[in-house]
Amino acid sequence: MTLNMYLRIAPVALATLLLAACGGSKDDDASTAYCPVPFTVQSAGRLTHFKDGPGRDPRDVEYEAALNGVGAKCTLRRNQMEVNVLMRVAVSAGPSVVPGQTRVPYFVRVLGPSGQVVQGQDFTADFKLSGSNPRGQSQEDLVLNLPFSQISELGGYRIAVGLKPSREELDYNRQMGR
């Protein structure tokens, strides 16, 4: 072979190797295909929190919060799928904000094939709100492990997320059509 022939073959060989390196494995394909897409529970995507006391007009709002994005990325391990759930929680101070730490409650629930909760946890996103710092955003990053014996079992899992309002806050959300 001559040098010219090597120079012509080398770019093709390099491109072939690079494309092969970019291709995913069977595990990558399965983790993408079976990765449960989180969904926001109806009436739990927004929350209006009022100060303590009887008033419930706009002047009594301490803060308003919203889920601004939810996603997941999955990795297969031996007999379990690791699900990295990412959530963006945004908060705005209301007229009755109390300077200091504002704790916005939220939940994550893993539902099994028949809709039953198989895993669940409550969390808080913490913010420092005040009149001079009226807005905040947090990215919450959680890791869940979903066990399986057959990979097809993973298709039955669903992940429900939402802000965790009190009964009164939930009623308010529903009245306001949120």
Side-chain angles (χ1 to χ4, degrees), residues 146-161:
L146 307 179
F148 66 91
S149 54
Q150 299 287 329
I151 197 160
S152 60
E153 295 170 10
L154 292 171
Y157 286 113
R158 294 180 304 143
I159 299 175
V161 300

Side-chain angles (χ1 to χ4, degrees), residues 5-144:
M5 185 175 266
Y6 279 117
L7 291 175
R8 277 187 258 149
I9 293 173
V12 174
L14 182 59
T16 303
L17 287 173
L18 288 174
L19 287 173
C22 290
S25 69
K26 285 183 184 178
D27 285 350
D28 290 341
D29 293 342
S31 65
T32 300
Y34 289 104
C35 190
V37 177
F39 67 94
T40 303
V41 174
Q42 186 177 4
S43 300
R46 297 185 62 75
L47 181 137
T48 300
H49 182 79
F50 293 95
K51 70 179 182 178
D52 290 335
R56 292 299 172 258
D57 67 42
R59 295 173 300 201
D60 299 317
V61 173
E62 274 190 32
Y63 67 84
E64 292 183 299
L67 283 178
N68 283 346
V70 180
K73 183 172 188 217
C74 296
T75 307
L76 279 177
R77 305 263 186 244
R78 184 174 178 89
N79 294 329
Q80 72 177 5
M81 178 177 278
E82 184 177 280
V83 183
N84 188 344
V85 179
L86 298 169
M87 301 171 52
R88 276 193 310 277
V89 179
V91 66
S92 297
S96 292
V97 68
V98 177
Q101 189 172 46
T102 298
R103 303 191 79 155
V104 178
Y106 67 94
F107 64 88
V108 176
R109 304 286 186 263
V110 177
L111 308 175
S114 62
Q116 80 281 11
V117 175
V118 296
Q119 291 181 35
Q121 238 179 316
D122 296 339
F123 302 92
T124 59
D126 297 327
F127 301 91
K128 297 260 189 216
L129 296 179
S130 65
S132 62
N133 186 30
R135 297 192 194 294
Q137 185 163 308
S138 170
Q139 180 156 318
E140 304 297 312
D141 189 355
L142 313 163
V143 177
L144 307 170

